[in-house]
Amino acid sequence: EVQLLESGGGLVQPGGSLRLSCAASGFTFSSYAMSWVRQAPGKGLEWVSAISGSGASTYFADSVKGRFTISRDNSKNTLNLQMSSLRAEDTAVYYCAKDLGRLCFDYWGQGTLVTVSS
Amino acid sequence: QSALTQPPSASGSPGQSVTISCTGTSSDVGGYNYVSWYQQHPGKAPKLMIYEVTKRPSGVPDRFSGSKSGNTASLTVSGLQAEDEADYYCSSYAGCNNRVVFGGGTKLTVL
């Protein structure tokens, strides 16, 4: 059974940093690209970042480019999102998602809430 | 990248059919057969219902179907059931630096 479990969310001040992690199990982690998708309170879904199975290629939405980095540790089946220079508009539930192909997500974690506020 | 356009709401009575549209451009919906649809119940993670325009993942009822014409994709839910009441989001692969764009979401109400 595929499981994705996010952690690391919380309250952070504007301009601060936070690191999210996603522990994956139930599939061959290194064989699949992974993404982070966020959802602001009461709003729709927004793709944030993707990383290839090997970790060699990374992609970012314009809204987070230069502020967020994505990485993975295939030996530990873990996906990470390092967020810096956080803004109020980054407040959202952040989901990690397994990529079925071409950024179609067949499994999602339960999400972790990031709140950026002073 | 602008969000894909979905109607904010849709509704139907139990047993009826409802279709939700998702309009993009030739750079996303019209340019690729990589449209997906997700169902999201309140407080829950999204669930994949349709991928590659028409394909259903294992376990998704065949009451859910997808189609596409030009720059507009559609999700049809037939034989509406109470548990179908949820938010539905479309997405499309958008090429260009490997990006995906989502629709704004449609709240489906089963009357």
Side-chain angles (χ1 to χ4, degrees):
Chain A
E1 179 192 5
V2 172
Q3 291 193 7
L4 300 170
L5 185 61
E6 301 95 338
S7 61
L11 175 63
V12 60
Q13 292 188 337
S17 299
L18 205 59
R19 182 180 178 85
L20 306 183
S21 294
C22 173
S25 62
F27 65 103
T28 304
F29 184 66
S30 60
S31 295
Y32 293 92
M34 298 290 294
S35 275
W36 289 95
V37 178
R38 68 185 181 184
Q39 186 170 34
K43 302 297 185 181
L45 301 171
E46 180 190 15
W47 173 76
V48 173
S49 181
I51 186 168
S52 62
S54 67
S57 299
T58 59
Y59 309 90
F60 298 91
D62 289 342
S63 58
V64 306
K65 193 178 296 183
R67 301 188 297 122
F68 290 12
T69 59
I70 189 172
S71 63
R72 64 192 297 160
D73 185 337
N74 286 342
S75 69
K76 296 181 179 179
N77 289 357
T78 301
L79 173 72
N80 302 300
L81 184 69
Q82 179 67 45
M83 306 183 294
S84 60
S85 303
L86 283 163
R87 307 166 180 166
E89 53 264 36
D90 295 318
T91 294
V93 173
Y94 284 73
Y95 295 99
C96 72
K98 173 180 170 288
D99 192 340
L100 178 61
R102 298 299 178 109
L103 295 171
C104 165
F105 309 117
D106 57 346
Y107 289 95
W108 299 63
Q110 86 291 346
T112 187
L113 176 63
V114 173
T115 302
V116 183
S117 175
S118 55
Chain B
Q1 196 88 25
S2 301
L4 306 177
T5 300
Q6 295 181 237
S9 64
S11 63
S13 299
Q16 289 186 332
S17 293
V18 64
T19 296
I20 299 170
S21 63
C22 170
T23 301
T25 69
S26 58
S27 297
D28 38 65
V29 175
Y32 305 93
N33 287 322
Y34 292 109
V35 174
S36 304
W37 289 91
Y38 301 90
Q39 176 191 67
Q40 186 179 36
H41 288 109
K44 301 295 186 181
K47 175 186 177 182
L48 180 65
M49 304 302 284
I50 296 288
Y51 68 102
E52 292 180 13
V53 180
T54 62
K55 298 178 180 179
R56 275 180 292 106
S58 174
V60 172
D62 59 7
R63 302 185 294 102
F64 292 84
S65 61
S67 63
K68 190 186 86 166
S69 178
N71 295 337
T72 298
S74 299
L75 171 73
T76 297
V77 185
S78 304
L80 272 173
Q81 297 183 6
E83 59 262 36
D84 299 334
E85 185 162 295
D87 293 326
Y88 290 84
Y89 294 91
C90 63
S91 74
S92 175
Y93 180 72
C96 188
N97 292 323
N98 199 47
R99 297 172 185 229
V100 60
V101 62
F102 284 95
T106 298
K107 182 176 180 60
L108 174 61
T109 300
V110 180
L111 302 170

